[in-house]
Amino acid sequence: MKKQESIENNSATHIAHVLIEALPYIRRFKGKTVVVKYGGNAMTEERLKNSFARDIVLLKLVGFNPVIVHGGGPQIGNLLQRLGKTSEFVQGMRVTDAETMDVVEMVLGGLVNKEIVNLINRHGGSAVGLSGKDGDLVRARKIVVKQRSPETDEPEIIDLGHVGEVESIDPSVVDMLVQGDFIPIIAPIGVGADGFSYNINADLVAGKMAEVLKAEKLILLTNTKGILDKEGNLLTGLSLSEVEDLIADGTITEGMIPKVRCAMDALKGGVSSIHIIDGRIEHAVLLELFTDQGIGTLLMRR
């Protein structure tokens, strides 16, 4: 009996220490906006989906204003495969003809978006789903890709179809939802001046959204620990200049480069700090925001 009581006391003491460690962060960031880009494994594994939803609900309950921008590439690819349509990629971007764009809107704006809304509401939150088309939230600009070929002197212009980048964001509808105590869940689809819909990289939308909302933090959930050095060790705190050096010397490569560039643009645009964290860890958002050590890479302007 005494041994059991000792175990229970140790557990209770640990919980108390965790709560005390979180207190200054809750006090410091109460009322601040936090934009979270949600994607990767955290969106596909049931335990991680439920963990993420509980994290976001808790953030709202303790006074943060979370705004979620989500991806959905694997879900789009799965449906296209079921429909017998082959996915083609150029420089990491999905070639999106009109038929594929219909699938993108159905998956991102419908299936995935509403699943996240339902998940957060089921865990006690009040979430509302949007796409960038709602309230003229995201204005898009068609991406033009140039690719050099050994056979020609001039670069080849490749038409990716309905693939865009953020031209501008009008946050009015998001502000209205936040003021109404709702959690906005945003699918990264925008509308161009031509009236067509465009699929936009979720990292880019999250970064620009954080800038426009003057967010305190931007959190990017990934399938890696964060930014790693050449030996594979996690780099926990970096400045803009240090990140530039890591790109220049080849430490940061391939798929991490656009994510880091998006983070750097957000910092330059006024976001106070960026967190690149491992979405494969349960309660990754809470561990990063409410503990002294954190679990990922923190980027700051300093």
Side-chain angles (χ1 to χ4, degrees):
M1 180 63 73
K2 287 184 178 179
K3 184 177 181 181
Q4 181 63 33
E5 287 177 355
S6 174
I7 291 172
E8 289 175 353
N9 287 338
N10 287 337
S11 177
T13 300
H14 174 68
I15 292 170
H17 281 306
V18 170
L19 293 172
I20 290 168
E21 187 175 333
L23 184 59
Y25 298 104
I26 294 172
R27 183 184 296 118
R28 180 179 174 188
F29 299 118
K30 184 176 181 180
K32 302 291 187 181
T33 296
V34 177
V35 175
V36 183
K37 186 270 177 164
Y38 178 43
N41 282 60
M43 272 187 69
T44 56
E45 295 184 24
E46 285 301 319
R47 66 182 178 87
L48 295 176
K49 289 196 288 187
N50 284 288
S51 160
F52 174 80
R54 286 193 288 265
D55 285 4
I56 298 304
V57 171
L58 181 58
L59 286 184
K60 188 68 175 178
L61 288 174
V62 299
F64 287 62
N65 292 320
V67 175
I68 315 303
V69 177
H70 65 82
Q75 292 90 333
I76 293 168
N78 289 340
L79 183 53
L80 286 171
Q81 186 175 32
R82 283 163 52 193
L83 294 172
K85 193 169 180 64
T86 303
S87 294
E88 181 185 351
F89 291 87
V90 174
Q91 297 180 17
M93 294 176 285
R94 188 189 306 273
V95 177
T96 306
D97 59 17
E99 185 180 29
T100 301
M101 189 63 218
D102 288 342
V103 173
V104 168
E105 289 205 70
M106 182 167 55
V107 172
L108 291 184
L111 180 66
V112 173
N113 187 273
K114 300 316 173 191
E115 181 186 18
I116 300 167
V117 167
N118 182 54
L119 198 60
I120 288 176
N121 289 348
R122 190 152 52 85
H123 285 285
S126 295
V128 174
L130 302 165
S131 86
K133 296 172 72 173
D134 294 312
D136 209 23
L137 175 59
V138 179
R139 300 292 294 183
R141 178 172 52 236
K142 182 181 174 73
I143 283 181
V144 175
V145 173
K146 294 182 180 181
Q147 186 168 286
R148 291 198 170 276
S149 169
E151 290 81 21
T152 60
D153 294 330
E154 294 295 323
E156 178 187 4
I157 297 176
I158 300 174
D159 186 0
L160 299 179
H162 295 259
V163 178
E165 58 188 352
V166 177
E167 182 173 73
S168 64
I169 289 178
D170 180 351
S172 303
V173 65
V174 174
D175 288 336
M176 181 181 67
L177 290 172
V178 170
Q179 289 165 16
D181 219 22
F182 292 100
I183 302 169
I185 313 296
I186 302 166
I189 298 167
V191 179
D194 53 13
F196 291 119
S197 299
Y198 287 92
N199 184 19
I200 308 174
N201 178 279
D203 288 332
L204 295 178
V205 174
K208 293 299 181 184
M209 191 68 64
E211 286 183 45
V212 171
L213 293 175
K214 297 180 171 54
E216 181 70 23
K217 294 178 178 293
L218 168 63
I219 300 174
L220 302 175
L221 286 166
T222 70
N223 285 340
T224 65
K225 294 178 181 178
I227 297 176
L228 309 178
D229 66 17
K230 289 185 176 178
E231 285 70 49
N233 301 309
L234 178 66
L235 299 170
T236 55
L238 296 169
S239 66
L240 281 172
S241 60
E242 289 170 330
V243 172
E244 291 284 10
D245 291 342
L246 291 171
I247 293 174
D249 71 12
T251 300
I252 297 175
T253 60
E254 298 176 350
M256 185 57 77
I257 290 179
K259 194 175 295 290
V260 168
R261 290 287 186 200
C262 154
M264 293 168 70
D265 287 344
L267 281 177
K268 293 171 184 175
V271 179
S272 297
S273 59
I274 316 292
H275 302 255
I276 300 177
I277 65 174
D278 193 342
R280 300 169 300 180
I281 298 173
E282 286 190 66
H283 301 296
V285 174
L286 294 186
L287 290 170
E288 178 66 14
L289 292 183
F290 290 157
T291 63
D292 295 335
Q293 188 173 2
I295 61 165
T297 300
L298 172 64
L299 304 180
M300 301 187 75
R301 283 191 296 273
R302 59 175 172 81

